[in-house]
């Protein structure tokens, strides 16, 4: 809500209310996560308001762990484990981590809760370099069921 300017008050005009409406299918978010899965920044906030997904201001997301906002799949404890469909694979084969390129993970359908207490389902996709101590980017959008042909 914005109070009227002096000229508007003199003219008898009242307060102004600004409403920012978003179509449901257009609400998404891009979050930068540190190696522990905590949100370090909300990217593209003006075009992808991640806070709207949860009913929070984008500043309230900073410092939160992704797993405190969404229910992780069974056996997964960190956002980096979402880079693969079935979690991290244990192997005795050695790889050079410096040679690994950025990986685009699959889309995971995860449950979350809005601040109004209502459940929601999100599509979450993680992008980043696999390996320990690597930051990742999480892309979140509301899940929509595919339409029948």
């Amino acid at each position: 809500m914005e109070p009227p300017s002096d000229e508007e008050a003199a003219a008898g005009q009242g307060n102004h209310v600004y409403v920012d409406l978003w179509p449901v299918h257009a609400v998404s978010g891009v979050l930068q996560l540190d190696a522990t899965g905590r949100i370090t920044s909300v990217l593209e906030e003006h075009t992808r308001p991640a806070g709207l997904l949860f009913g929070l201001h984008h500043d309230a997301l900073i410092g939160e762990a992704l797993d405190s906002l969404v229910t992780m799949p069974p056996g997964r404890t960190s956002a980096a484990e979402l880079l693969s469909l079935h979690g991290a694979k244990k192997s005795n084969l050695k790889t050079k981590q410096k040679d690994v390129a950025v990986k685009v993970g699959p889309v995971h359908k995860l449950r979350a809760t809005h601040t109004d207490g209502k459940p929601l389902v999100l599509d979450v996709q993680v992008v980043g370099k696999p390996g320990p101590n690597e930051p990742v980017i999480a892309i979140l959008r509301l899940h929509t069921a595919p339409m029948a042909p």
Side-chain angles (χ1 to χ4, degrees), residues 13-101:
Q13 297 176 350
N15 293 340
H16 296 278
V17 175
Y18 294 97
V19 179
D20 195 6
L21 300 175
W22 288 77
V24 171
H25 66 276
V27 179
S28 63
V30 180
L31 305 173
Q32 184 172 357
L33 309 173
D34 65 13
T36 65
R38 293 207 174 274
I39 300 169
T40 57
S41 67
V42 179
L43 306 176
E44 303 176 8
E45 176 57 32
H46 296 292
T47 55
R48 298 174 188 246
L52 289 181
L53 292 168
F54 304 101
L56 299 169
H57 189 271
H58 68 272
D59 289 339
L61 295 174
I62 305 298
E64 288 292 322
L66 182 65
D67 62 2
S68 71
L69 298 171
V70 299
T71 303
M72 298 293 276
R76 313 281 178 98
T77 57
S78 73
E81 291 176 0
L82 297 177
L83 281 170
S84 64
L85 188 58
H86 301 292
K89 293 182 179 179
K90 305 287 185 202
S91 173
N92 289 333
L93 299 175
K94 293 187 178 187
T95 59
K96 293 181 181 177
Q97 290 295 334
K98 293 181 182 179
D99 295 339
V100 177

